[in-house]
């Protein structure tokens, strides 16, 4: 009897899967109420929630400098940027909730270590130049990755990325402008800018993830058009665009092996320290424990606000029901 039911389920699913793949190939968006394979849904939840966690955790290293920004203008710009990142997290959590997972479940996964966030945010911001380097390099790498996500196959994610990319573009420009001012300043300021570049360049390249051959999710993500470009292709784009930016700054490139390859039409570069990458991913970075501890503390301190909102909404619904009766 069980075998018959399994056969019937397969027969019912086959046309749905064919229609799903037809939409993917025709560049039609998959919407929350559409049928989708369970593996597609889980892949999206993993990627979108990781993206949301990265935006929220990414507020910490820069938020640490809001009170110490060197001028009122820098303070206002940085405050606006950190607020944008909170908004990005909200867009992405909301998009992920359309897949049937709750916000509280996603946050529990983050705080328990089940879900990951971008490894770059486990590096400390030691100087003001680090804040500029994050805007220039980290948000620059994010833009390279996220521009193609505007065309991702899942509708809510795609639409959210359009807004996010516009704001990330602002973040990248303000970071580069801050580094440019330091690079054109005193010898001490230029040295500070060079130091920040040296420390954040390599972790920024690690943001694109492992080599394609070692990525557990890339193949299916490409097939379903969740991702449009591979990790290695995106990393190469970032390497290529950064060379000229470093030249304009008048700084030294951290990769002494960087060299234009005429045949490939790209720059050849050194390989990354993959031992460091996996170590940070697995929780052994400079700030892994600090970042999560801070998130847990902030979440617990804000519990009374969430309880108050829930109680107020319950009261409104009860009053509405009473009036209707």
């Amino acid at each position: 009897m069980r075998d018959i039911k399994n056969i019937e389920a397969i027969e019912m699913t086959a046309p749905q899967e064919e229609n799903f793949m037809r939409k993917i190939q025709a560049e039609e968006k998959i919407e929350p109420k559409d049928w989708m394979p369970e593996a597609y849904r889980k892949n999206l939840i993993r990627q979108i929630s990781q993206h949301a966690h990265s935006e929220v955790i990414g507020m910490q290293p820069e938020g640490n400098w809001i009170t110490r920004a060197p001028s009122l203008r820098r303070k206002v710009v940085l405050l606006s940027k950190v607020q944008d990142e909170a908004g990005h997290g909200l867009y992405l959590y909301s998009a992920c909730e359309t897949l049937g997972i709750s916000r509280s479940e996603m946050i529990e996964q983050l705080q328990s270590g089940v879900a990951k966030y971008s490894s770059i945010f486990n590096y400390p911001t030691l100087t003001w130049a680090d804040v500029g380097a994050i805007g220039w390099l980290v948000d620059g790498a994010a833009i390279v990755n996220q521009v193609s996500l505007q065309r991702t196959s899942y509708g809510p994610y795609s639409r959210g990325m359009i807004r996010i990319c516009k704001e990330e573009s602002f973040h990248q420009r303000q970071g580069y402008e801050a580094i440019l001012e330091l690079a054109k300043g005193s010898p001490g300021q230029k040295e500070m800018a060079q130091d920040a570049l040296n420390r954040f360049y390599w972790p920024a390249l690690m943001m694109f993830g492992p080599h394609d051959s070692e990525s557990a999710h890339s193949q299916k993500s490409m097939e379903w058009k969740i991702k449009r470009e591979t990790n290695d292709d995106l990393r190469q784009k970032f390497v290529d665009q950064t060379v000229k930016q470093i030249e304009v700054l008048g700084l030294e490139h951290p990769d002494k092996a960087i060299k234009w390859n005429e045949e490939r039409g790209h720059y050849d570069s050194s390989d990354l320290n993959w031992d460091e990458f996996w170590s940070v991913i697995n929780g052994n970075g400079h700030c892994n424990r600090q970042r999560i501890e801070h998130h847990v503390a902030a979440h617990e301190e804000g519990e009374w606000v969430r309880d108050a909102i829930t109680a107020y909404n319950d009261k409104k619904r009860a009053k509405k029901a009473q009036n209707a009766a």
Side-chain angles (χ1 to χ4, degrees):
M1 185 67 177
R2 185 177 299 173
D3 290 340
I4 294 173
K5 287 184 177 180
N6 288 341
I7 291 171
E8 289 175 348
I10 292 170
E11 288 176 347
M12 288 177 64
T13 304
Q16 292 174 315
E17 187 144 8
E18 288 175 7
N19 188 52
F20 170 81
M21 288 308 300
R22 179 196 63 76
K23 287 183 176 180
I24 295 290
Q25 296 304 324
E27 300 291 344
E28 296 178 20
K29 298 301 181 192
I30 305 300
E31 299 297 343
K33 292 184 178 181
D34 292 344
W35 183 91
M36 63 187 75
E38 183 63 14
Y40 176 84
R41 188 184 73 86
K42 288 182 177 179
N43 199 319
L44 277 170
I45 289 174
R46 177 197 58 79
Q47 180 168 324
I48 300 173
S49 65
Q50 179 176 310
H51 192 167
H53 299 328
S54 299
E55 295 285 356
V56 172
I57 296 294
M59 297 166 65
Q60 292 187 38
E62 292 176 299
N64 185 42
W65 279 89
I66 290 174
T67 59
R68 296 181 287 164
S71 69
L72 179 60
R73 175 177 176 269
R74 295 294 182 192
K75 188 187 298 289
V76 171
V77 170
L78 183 58
L79 183 60
S80 177
K81 182 179 187 292
V82 173
Q83 288 176 323
D84 283 349
E85 289 163 350
H88 297 174
L90 177 62
Y91 305 153
L92 293 163
Y93 282 133
S94 298
C96 208
E97 285 177 308
T98 65
L99 292 160
I101 185 172
S102 68
R103 186 85 53 94
S104 59
E105 187 177 352
M106 285 185 274
I107 291 173
E108 193 281 326
Q109 289 176 351
L110 168 66
Q111 294 179 350
S112 66
V114 172
K116 304 295 184 183
Y117 58 88
S118 181
S119 60
I120 189 71
F121 299 118
N122 291 311
Y123 291 84
T125 45
L126 305 178
T127 70
W128 170 251
D130 290 3
V131 176
I134 288 176
W136 165 35
L137 297 172
V138 176
D139 293 313
I143 291 170
V144 169
N145 183 43
Q146 293 170 11
V147 163
S148 64
L149 288 177
Q150 293 177 105
R151 298 183 293 112
T152 191
S153 60
Y154 188 58
Y157 193 22
S158 171
R159 291 187 287 273
M161 289 313 307
I162 293 171
R163 172 74 177 268
I164 289 172
C165 282
K166 290 178 180 177
E167 293 175 353
E168 291 288 8
S169 179
F170 154 74
H171 298 169
Q172 193 273 343
R173 287 197 297 272
Q174 67 82 27
Y176 189 75
E177 191 254 353
I179 290 291
L180 179 62
E181 192 164 314
L182 290 171
K184 303 302 180 185
S186 68
Q189 289 173 321
K190 184 173 183 178
E191 183 179 349
M192 187 189 299
Q194 183 68 61
D195 176 62
L197 170 59
N198 292 344
R199 284 184 290 107
F200 275 91
Y201 177 77
W202 300 106
L205 289 179
M206 295 177 189
M207 288 176 63
F208 297 101
H211 283 309
D212 298 330
S213 59
E214 298 176 16
S215 176
H217 306 284
S218 284
Q219 184 177 351
K220 292 302 293 185
S221 291
M222 294 288 289
E223 180 182 332
W224 287 325
K225 298 188 179 180
I226 296 173
K227 287 180 65 173
R228 296 297 186 130
E229 298 179 81
T230 68
N231 294 352
D232 289 332
D233 286 344
L234 290 167
R235 189 167 15 247
Q236 183 67 66
K237 277 189 177 181
F238 181 71
V239 169
D240 291 346
Q241 76 176 30
T242 308
V243 172
K244 186 62 179 178
Q245 293 170 352
I246 294 173
E247 289 178 4
V248 172
L249 290 169
L251 300 177
E252 294 183 14
H253 202 292
D255 186 356
K256 304 310 176 187
I258 200 82
K259 184 179 181 182
W260 179 253
N261 186 318
E262 190 68 39
E263 184 177 347
R264 291 199 313 120
H266 295 287
Y267 282 93
D268 292 334
S269 58
S270 301
D271 200 9
L272 299 178
N273 183 343
W274 292 109
D275 289 339
E276 177 182 336
F277 170 80
W278 291 113
S279 178
V280 175
I281 287 293
N282 291 323
N284 300 312
H286 296 287
C287 302
N288 287 68
R289 283 175 286 278
Q290 177 186 340
R291 299 294 187 233
I292 294 299
E293 287 171 2
H294 184 85
H295 188 280
V296 170
H299 188 69
E300 291 176 349
E301 288 171 8
E303 185 175 8
W304 70 272
V305 178
R306 297 190 297 277
D307 289 345
I309 293 172
T310 300
Y312 176 71
N313 287 333
D314 289 345
K315 186 177 179 180
K316 280 180 65 177
R317 281 192 290 270
K319 187 175 181 180
K320 186 177 180 180
Q322 186 179 16
N323 292 339

